[in-house]
Amino acid sequence: MGKGAQGSDAAVAAAAAAGAGEVEENMAAWLVAKNTLKIMPFQLPPLGPHDVRVRMKAVGICGSDVHYLREMRIAHFVVKEPMVIGHECAGVIEEVGAGVTHLTVGDRVALEPGVSCWRCRHCKGGRYNLCPDMKFFATPPFHGSLANQVVHPGDLCFKLPDGVSLEEGAMCEPLSVGVHACRRAGVGPETGVLVVGAGPIGLVTLLAARAFGAPKVVIVDVDDHRLSVATSLGADATVKVSTRAEDLESEVERIQAAMGSEIDVSLDCAGFSKTMSTALEATRPGGKVCLVGMGHNEMTLPMTSAAAREVDVVGVFRYKDTWPLCIDFLRTGKVDVKPLITHRFGFSQRDVEEAFEVSARGRDAIKVMFNL
């Protein structure tokens, strides 16, 4: 009996050792064709000395993810082969490279999704978001982060303080767009701000403008529900507008009346001819318009009128050096992104399909979040 027991113990020990040696298969949501996502294995690259391996815990759906799903392209970025989707993310460190000293296993981190070259003139000049060799999560041909685990440079992983959730950490990505826009536009305590478009980016831009000290923010949109959300988030006034160009003049008058003073900065978070025309016409002489959204590749705009009033126009492409400030805004309570997370899903095939359907449908969906 004793021998049999010893034999049984040995077998159990051997099985346990074999199990301990098994490597978990990393699964990810792959965009394989128009309107087709499949959860399939995703082999991670080797961990470099300055990399970390992160277990994803929260991943949000961005409008660009939905656009890739529908069209398999955005502008000149074309999905030519299956690609892992997702780029708004946060997770927990599971392994660190030998050269990573500021992070340890178990740290909760928010990930900045773009890896620049650090050699070109833009990177050296501090505007690394313009790097022509940027490797950005879920921008073809580079894979994204809607996966069990990803490998990412340690210096693009930012530790979350106690009191800031992983979902909030994932929201640093869209919030970064608003923060970068406010920096580009020079928003501050003496700036009357107009936000055109109350979608997810318009709403985070509203929150960012408030955090930058804007004393009054007016937001406009075509949708009553989005405007009610903007009011709940702290907009001083909202104006419902139409998509008709012939309504522009009367709408500008209503917008300026709602502000009650001159509009110093307008941030177009939609990027259509009508929305950009609204921003240009509503802004005071000598003011600034910032184009944040990219709805149309080409627009017809009243540029002569804007030039005669010396209205400056600046563009926004992604962001740079925003994660530390975003995290500080979240830590101090200057920004609360939690109300923007309207829907949550797990990470099954059904969950992924339903989550993207909800996000694409819009309506009451603002930010759809995966909890992995």
Side-chain angles (χ1 to χ4, degrees):
M1 182 181 293
K3 184 176 180 180
Q6 290 175 352
S8 176
D9 290 344
V12 170
E22 291 178 359
V23 178
E24 172 192 354
E25 189 168 36
N26 189 44
M27 306 298 287
W30 291 77
L31 174 59
V32 297
K34 278 189 178 182
N35 300 312
T36 306
L37 291 164
K38 291 186 180 297
I39 293 184
M40 301 187 298
F42 175 36
Q43 185 174 355
L44 293 176
L47 190 76
H50 301 290
D51 295 333
V52 294
R53 179 166 53 85
V54 185
R55 180 167 294 276
M56 292 290 94
K57 292 294 185 180
V59 180
I61 297 179
C62 175
S64 65
D65 296 320
V66 174
H67 195 90
Y68 276 124
L69 176 62
R70 286 174 165 175
E71 305 295 336
M72 296 293 282
R73 69 180 301 157
I74 294 178
H76 63 281
F77 296 106
V78 181
V79 181
K80 297 179 180 179
E81 55 188 27
M83 178 185 78
V84 177
I85 202 79
H87 62 270
E88 303 177 358
C89 55
V92 178
I93 300 290
E94 291 209 332
E95 185 179 4
V96 299
V100 177
T101 58
H102 68 293
L103 295 170
T104 60
V105 172
D107 284 345
R108 301 177 315 120
V109 293
L111 284 69
E112 182 172 351
V115 184
S116 58
C117 74
W118 292 115
R119 294 184 299 274
C120 70
R121 61 175 294 185
H122 303 296
C123 288
K124 290 180 178 180
R127 302 182 72 176
Y128 64 85
N129 56 311
L130 303 179
C131 175
D133 295 319
M134 178 73 75
K135 299 176 181 178
F136 197 92
F137 276 156
T139 298
F142 307 107
H143 292 303
S145 60
L146 185 48
N148 296 133
Q149 301 177 69
V150 300
V151 169
H152 204 54
D155 64 339
L156 295 175
C157 296
F158 298 86
K159 188 173 179 179
L160 296 174
D162 294 339
V164 176
S165 71
L166 286 158
E167 285 189 340
E168 291 174 283
M171 289 294 292
C172 284
E173 199 281 337
L175 180 58
S176 285
V177 177
V179 166
H180 185 54
C182 287
R183 283 176 170 171
R184 290 275 290 152
V187 173
E190 298 181 348
T191 312
V193 174
L194 169 65
V195 177
V196 184
I201 293 300
L203 294 174
V204 293
T205 300
L206 159 66
L207 294 175
R210 278 294 193 216
F212 274 79
K216 190 164 186 178
V217 182
V218 174
I219 190 165
V220 307
D221 200 273
V222 299
D223 184 85
D224 286 318
H225 175 70
R226 294 288 173 99
L227 291 175
S228 69
V229 173
T231 299
S232 71
L233 292 175
D236 293 287
T238 63
V239 178
K240 186 176 182 181
V241 296
S242 76
T243 58
R244 298 185 299 271
E246 57 266 29
D247 295 334
L248 178 63
E249 184 176 351
S250 63
E251 288 173 354
V252 167
E253 291 177 358
R254 289 194 291 124
I255 291 166
Q256 291 173 332
M259 178 63 75
S261 59
E262 290 189 314
I263 296 170
D264 302 296
V265 166
S266 292
L267 301 129
D268 178 9
C269 297
F272 298 100
S273 293
K274 170 74 184 302
T275 57
M276 192 61 176
S277 295
T278 299
L280 288 167
E281 292 293 279
T283 304
R284 68 165 174 83
K288 186 173 289 188
V289 171
C290 183
L291 178 57
V292 186
M294 297 184 179
H296 280 163
N297 287 334
E298 297 181 359
M299 303 182 193
T300 300
L301 301 173
M303 293 305 297
T304 301
S305 169
R309 291 179 292 119
E310 292 194 353
V311 174
D312 293 338
V313 179
V314 296
V316 161
F317 186 64
R318 294 172 178 158
Y319 31 67
K320 65 180 183 70
D321 194 28
T322 51
W323 260 252
L325 182 58
C326 288
I327 291 171
D328 192 60
F329 280 162
L330 297 172
R331 179 187 63 81
T332 59
K334 285 186 176 180
V335 170
D336 183 7
V337 294
K338 294 188 292 294
L340 299 179
I341 305 171
T342 55
H343 294 75
R344 293 173 173 86
F345 290 88
F347 189 51
S348 67
Q349 180 68 38
R350 181 177 178 180
D351 282 325
V352 169
E353 292 173 356
E354 186 177 352
F356 271 84
E357 288 173 4
V358 169
S359 185
R361 189 167 61 237
R363 299 177 191 169
D364 61 337
I366 299 175
K367 182 55 62 179
V368 178
M369 187 73 66
F370 290 103
N371 295 134
L372 283 75

